[in-house]
DNA sequence: CCGAACATGTAACCTGTTACATGATTAC
DNA sequence: GTAATCATGTAACAGGTTACATGTTCGG
């Protein structure tokens, strides 16, 4: 049971930011925020969120206080050390600028290797999936707060870049007919 | 020990593509390709690569044959089922167009919440890190084959988008002097 | 011959996943 | 009262990580 005193995982940083900047005070609400977010990458599974909060509390980055009024539960807030850790996580330039895991980039060099007809069909499907995702993101925009909106706008820009990239691809390789 | 008959992990798909499209025939070479790639997201740890290849071989997607000439080792190649599985993985539109894990996007809504002076310094550092990464990627371009070049060009476009985004950010929030 | 690179693996660990379990509170 | 939602967790599992262990082959 290691405590994240040195560096936070991406999920732990996201949990801290949800509590501090987006005002989710119970673990359940943090979890649901992940489940319903149009731009955050985790499923919000209980088996990830509750242990993460436990670790952050053990490291004294999160303070817990039982809720007395209304529904019972545990109200979460950041300790001064928690705020400092969150800020360090937000600003870490190495972490923030690393490439991340991008399934599109990973495949981008491989579509060109496909048989022309297979390739044309694949690109068509990809274009369709990107367009659908774009529409989903755009319609979700007005329900979001500042933080989620910025993330979602970034996702939109990414999908637009993918869409442009797909359209720039030649419909088939040189060797046909 | 589940065999990946239904769907491949991103690492498994990348392993198949390294063997099939980039011509790495031993596990060691696949591993080193991950370690030295400027655009692939894994560390190429032995504890990930060797078990993945084992799973793919167990699922009959990879054929193994001992090398007789020169250094000894095991030559890997894709079975017909392996080629089909790879193609399905490459073309899967849901997987290929999912947002992925992007540390920059995750933080993009949070920099605006920082204290103006902290924020200005953070953005400066981020810009610097992006520029350095851009240069590193660009200089690596001429040593790469087609597949890796496409991936790296995508990474370059991504970092350029980040750079533009950072420059568009106002130096501080409205409430100062 | 000796160090570097080739080649293959295992063990302990970490952190995410799904699926299950339990109970309190609110809305109808 | 009962169904949905709020709220918190655990267990089994999956698939990565680092670190360690072992032996081979090539270059100088």
């Amino acid at each position: 049971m290691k405590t994240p005193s040195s560096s936070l995982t991406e999920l732990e940083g996201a949990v801290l930011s949800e509590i501090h900047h987006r005002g989710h005070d119970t673990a359940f609400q943090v979890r649901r925020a992940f489940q319903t977010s149009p731009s955050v990458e985790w499923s919000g599974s209980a088996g990830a969120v509750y242990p993460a909060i436990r670790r952050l509390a053990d490291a004294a980055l999160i303070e817990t206080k039982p809720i007395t009024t209304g529904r019972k539960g545990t109200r979460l807030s950041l300790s001064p050390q928690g705020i400092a850790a969150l800020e360090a996580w937000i600003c870490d330039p190495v972490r923030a600028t690393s490439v991340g895991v991008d399934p599109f980039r990973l495949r981008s060099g491989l579509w060109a290797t496909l048989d022309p007809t297979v390739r044309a069909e694949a690109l068509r499907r990809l274009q369709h999936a990107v367009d659908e995702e774009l529409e989903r993101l755009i319609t979700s925009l007005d329900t979001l707060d500042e933080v989620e909106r910025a993330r979602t706008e970034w996702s939109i820009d990414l999908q637009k870049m993918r869409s442009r990239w797909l359209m720039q691809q030649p419909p088939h390789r040189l060797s046909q007919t």
Side-chain angles (χ1 to χ4, degrees), chain A:
Chain A
M1 195 178 289
K2 192 202 124 199
T3 55
S5 51
S6 50
S7 70
L8 303 172
T9 67
E10 291 295 281
L11 177 65
E12 287 166 352
V15 165
L16 291 183
S17 77
E18 287 296 315
I19 296 168
H20 195 56
H21 294 306
R22 301 230 298 135
H24 300 294
D25 35 40
T26 73
F28 183 84
Q29 286 175 345
V30 171
R31 196 189 151 202
R32 196 180 41 183
F34 288 148
Q35 286 175 324
T36 61
S37 164
S39 66
V40 163
E41 35 251 11
W42 300 281
S43 70
S45 52
V49 173
Y50 285 102
I53 288 175
R54 166 68 63 93
R55 289 195 299 272
L56 295 167
D58 286 349
L61 304 182
I62 282 179
E63 289 164 353
T64 61
K65 185 169 59 175
I67 298 173
T68 54
T69 64
R71 269 183 196 277
K72 69 179 178 184
T74 305
R75 171 158 290 123
L76 306 174
S77 59
L78 296 210
S79 68
Q81 307 98 285
I83 294 173
L86 172 58
E87 197 159 299
W89 178 83
I90 290 174
C91 294
D92 179 354
V94 176
R95 297 284 294 279
T97 64
S98 78
V99 284
V101 176
D102 185 340
F104 193 94
R105 177 187 60 231
L106 189 58
R107 289 163 176 80
S108 62
L110 300 170
W111 291 315
T113 67
L114 295 169
D115 178 80
T117 56
V118 176
R119 169 177 150 83
E121 175 67 8
L123 291 179
R124 203 191 56 76
R125 283 179 200 275
L126 287 165
Q127 187 79 59
H128 186 68
V130 167
D131 288 346
E132 272 194 339
E133 180 67 6
L134 254 177
E135 194 174 354
R136 192 183 70 83
L137 289 170
I138 289 169
T139 55
S140 75
L141 266 184
D142 22 316
T143 65
L144 305 174
D145 64 32
E146 254 186 88
V147 173
E148 268 287 289
R149 182 154 53 246
R151 285 180 187 151
T152 304
E153 281 169 352
W154 179 263
S155 293
I156 288 170
D157 287 348
L158 179 73
Q159 296 289 7
K160 281 182 178 171
M161 190 161 107
R162 288 175 172 177
S163 182
R164 281 197 307 275
W165 190 92
L166 286 170
M167 284 190 287
Q168 279 171 12
Q169 299 309 300
H172 44 68
R173 306 211 78 186
L174 305 171
S175 58
Q176 206 197 19
T177 311

